[in-house]
């Protein structure tokens, strides 16, 4: 089992820089930037072909936006990440794409990037995706979300009033699909939001919306990465 060392100093600096950028751009509204008129509304458990619903799978954005019902002083901070899963249903450490490893070696997955569309400022989390660059050994991309310092802040996904996962075509700025990922969640602090997977000669999406109460550590262990 691979071991991943999480550098707390690096994490805190990343958080500070990211939060400053988001706060400076909160006046950007996605409704003015993205065409949602043809967006497909999915629910937990539903599947959809991306190839059949998107002309250009080389320029995709995966985004999260959410609202909380918290009244406390602690910020509710969700981190998105991608586990690039092989045929054995495991992820090599270099294929875990998150805030300390923000870009895959193949160039197909990049955290906090948006194909130069400037759309990332309109969402809480944004991941840039080019499915044409994903190597054949990778069979699945698990899009996950974890709550930062969930135990210390006594937070979980039940404290979201709404949460949406979206896939956007970056070249046309059209929303391809969306789904309410926090439906029926309770004590979880880390969830698999959705999985993009190979099926014959195409890519499909499966809306998962379930997870773990053990945060990032539990999520990593699920894919064969041990955190220390």
């Amino acid at each position: 089992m691979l071991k991943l060392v999480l550098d707390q100093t690096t994490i805190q600096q990343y958080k500070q820089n990211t939060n400053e950028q988001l706060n400076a751009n909160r006046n950007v509204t996605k409704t003015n930037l993205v065409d949602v008129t043809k967006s497909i509304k999915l629910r937990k458990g539903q599947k959809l072909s991306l190839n059949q619903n998107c002309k250009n799978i080389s320029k995709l954005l995966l985004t999260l936006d959410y609202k909380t019902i918290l009244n406390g002083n602690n910020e509710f901070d969700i981190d998105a990440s991608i586990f690039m899963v092989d045929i054995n249903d495991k992820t090599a450490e270099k294929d875990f794409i998150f805030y300390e490893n923000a870009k895959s070696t193949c160039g197909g997955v990049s955290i906090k990037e948006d194909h130069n569309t400037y759309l990332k400022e309109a969402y809480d989390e944004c991941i840039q995706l080019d499915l044409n660059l994903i190597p054949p050994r990778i069979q699945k991309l698990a899009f996950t979300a974890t709550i930062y310092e969930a135990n210390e802040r006594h937070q979980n996904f039940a404290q979201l009033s709404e949460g949406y996962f979206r896939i956007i075509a970056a070249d046309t700025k059209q929303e391809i699909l969306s789904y309410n990922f926090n439906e029926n969640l309770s004590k979880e602090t880390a969830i698999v939001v959705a999985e993009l997977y190979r099926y014959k000669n195409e890519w499909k999406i499966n809306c998962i919306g379930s997870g773990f109460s053990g945060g990032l550590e539990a999520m990593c262990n699920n894919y064969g990465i041990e955190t220390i």
Side-chain angles (χ1 to χ4, degrees), residues 2-228:
L2 295 170
K3 292 186 178 181
L4 181 69
V5 179
L6 300 179
D7 186 338
Q8 293 301 316
T9 301
T10 302
I11 293 172
Q12 290 173 3
Q13 184 61 52
Y14 170 88
K15 293 294 179 184
Q16 180 179 346
N17 294 340
T18 300
N19 290 337
E20 288 175 355
Q21 180 183 5
L22 287 174
N23 291 335
N25 292 285
R26 280 305 180 190
N27 60 334
V28 178
T29 57
K30 53 184 169 292
T31 54
N32 295 331
L33 299 174
V34 177
D35 180 4
V36 300
T37 56
K38 297 181 180 180
S39 180
I40 301 170
K41 309 302 180 185
L42 298 179
R43 299 194 66 179
K44 180 178 178 178
Q46 290 187 305
K47 300 178 180 180
L48 185 75
S49 168
L50 290 178
N51 293 74
Q52 294 176 24
N53 290 279
C54 181
K55 294 180 180 179
N56 187 2
I57 61 170
S58 68
K59 289 190 175 182
L60 297 178
L61 301 179
L62 311 183
T63 70
L64 289 183
D65 53 277
Y66 56 88
K67 294 181 181 179
T68 69
I69 56 175
L70 293 180
N71 295 318
N73 295 324
N74 287 328
E75 179 184 7
F76 197 97
D77 188 1
I78 293 178
D79 293 315
S81 56
I82 294 278
F83 289 84
M84 304 176 70
V85 185
D86 63 22
I87 195 171
N88 297 313
D89 210 31
K90 297 297 181 182
T91 297
E93 185 174 336
K94 66 182 178 65
D95 293 328
F96 173 36
I97 313 304
F98 71 125
Y99 41 75
E100 286 191 24
N101 182 35
K103 186 174 183 178
S104 64
T105 55
C106 66
V109 182
S110 297
I111 300 285
K112 301 295 184 185
E113 299 295 334
D114 61 4
H115 291 293
N116 298 317
T117 60
Y118 301 102
L119 291 178
K120 62 184 179 182
E121 286 86 359
Y123 298 90
D124 293 296
E125 292 292 320
C126 181
I127 294 180
Q128 172 182 296
L129 194 62
D130 183 344
L131 291 177
N132 288 330
L133 295 180
I134 306 301
R137 65 181 179 82
I138 300 298
Q139 295 295 303
K140 181 168 60 179
L141 302 175
F143 184 101
T144 67
T146 56
I147 302 173
Y148 179 62
E149 293 186 341
N151 291 335
E152 293 86 344
R153 300 178 182 183
H154 306 289
Q155 295 174 345
N156 57 59
F157 279 102
Q159 294 164 327
L160 292 184
S161 57
E162 62 179 49
Y164 287 93
F165 169 80
R166 308 176 193 274
I167 297 184
I168 299 167
D171 54 349
T172 61
K173 295 186 178 180
Q174 289 185 318
E175 185 176 288
I176 301 169
L177 63 89
S178 69
Y179 102 93
N180 183 199
F181 69 84
N182 68 310
E183 185 178 16
N184 298 323
L185 294 178
S186 56
K187 300 295 185 181
E188 295 90 348
T189 57
I191 62 171
V192 180
V193 178
E195 292 180 341
L196 281 65
Y197 63 98
R198 297 183 190 271
Y199 179 76
K200 297 182 179 179
N201 294 319
E202 64 178 351
W203 283 93
K204 302 186 75 172
I205 183 172
N206 184 12
C207 300
I208 305 294
S210 61
F212 312 87
S213 59
L216 179 61
E217 181 177 355
M219 186 72 74
C220 286
N221 288 340
N222 181 64
Y223 290 105
I225 301 175
E226 182 182 354
T227 60
I228 58 176

